Amino acid sequence: MCGIIGCVGKRPAAALLLDGLHALEYRGYDSAGIAVMDGETVSVVKTKGRGDRLEEKLREHPLQGTMGIGHTRWATHGEPSDVNSHPHTSMAGDIALVHNGIIENYLEIKRWLMDRGYRFASDTDTEVVAHLVSHYDQGDLVRALHLAMTRLRGSYALAVMSVR
Ligand code: GLU
């Protein structure tokens, strides 16, 4: 069972998110990742495997910023791998999200998005949400998310972050 976490405040987000992910470890997971916003860009570090691997990667690529989201994954769509780990991002990299659950109609939405030029990096059901939110985003993330959610079927919890 996966876990999601988000934080916004004045303290460095990466350390807070790692603490939060450790607290969720008891639920079991196969991959973990975080995205942090530094005010202008969203940066992602994610990996298949345990939290100590994520910490190692974060030491190599420290993330600066006080807003972020994190995820421990229990794969349902797409094997456990670095690329299938969350967070997933829009093609422009301006939106990042983590997801708990299953998008039942993801294939239908994926085909619809691919017909409109969206390219997919992973095999997950989750990535359709990142591109769908991006498709509807005209500067108001809440509205874009609301529109995207009218198209999603399944059971899911999301944490979404945008540079705008
Ligand atoms: N269905 C998503 C995936 O396979 C989320 C799984 C989860 O809840 O961890 O990536």
Side-chain angles (χ1 to χ4, degrees), residues 74-97:
W74 192 256
T76 64
H77 293 64
E79 61 173 8
S81 68
D82 288 359
V83 80
N84 286 338
S85 304
H86 301 211
H88 290 280
T89 57
S90 57
M91 277 179 10
D94 55 343
I95 294 170
L97 64 83

Side-chain angles (χ1 to χ4, degrees), residues 2 71-77 86 99-102 124-126:
C2 89
H71 189 258
T72 49
R73 178 176 189 233
W74 192 256
T76 64
H77 293 64
H86 301 211
H99 161 226
N100 177 196
I102 290 174
T124 62
D125 50 340
T126 303

Side-chain angles (χ1 to χ4, degrees), residues 5-22 33-39 41-43 45 54-55 58 61-71 161:
I5 182 169
C7 71
V8 56
K10 293 184 177 163
R11 291 162 58 192
L16 285 173
L17 292 168
L18 273 179
D19 280 353
L21 293 183
H22 280 311
I34 68 172
V36 172
M37 186 162 79
D38 68 4
T41 56
V42 175
S43 302
V45 172
L54 181 64
E55 282 185 44
L58 278 163
H61 307 282
L63 299 185
Q64 311 296 335
T66 58
M67 180 191 292
I69 53 178
H71 189 258
M161 192 169 67

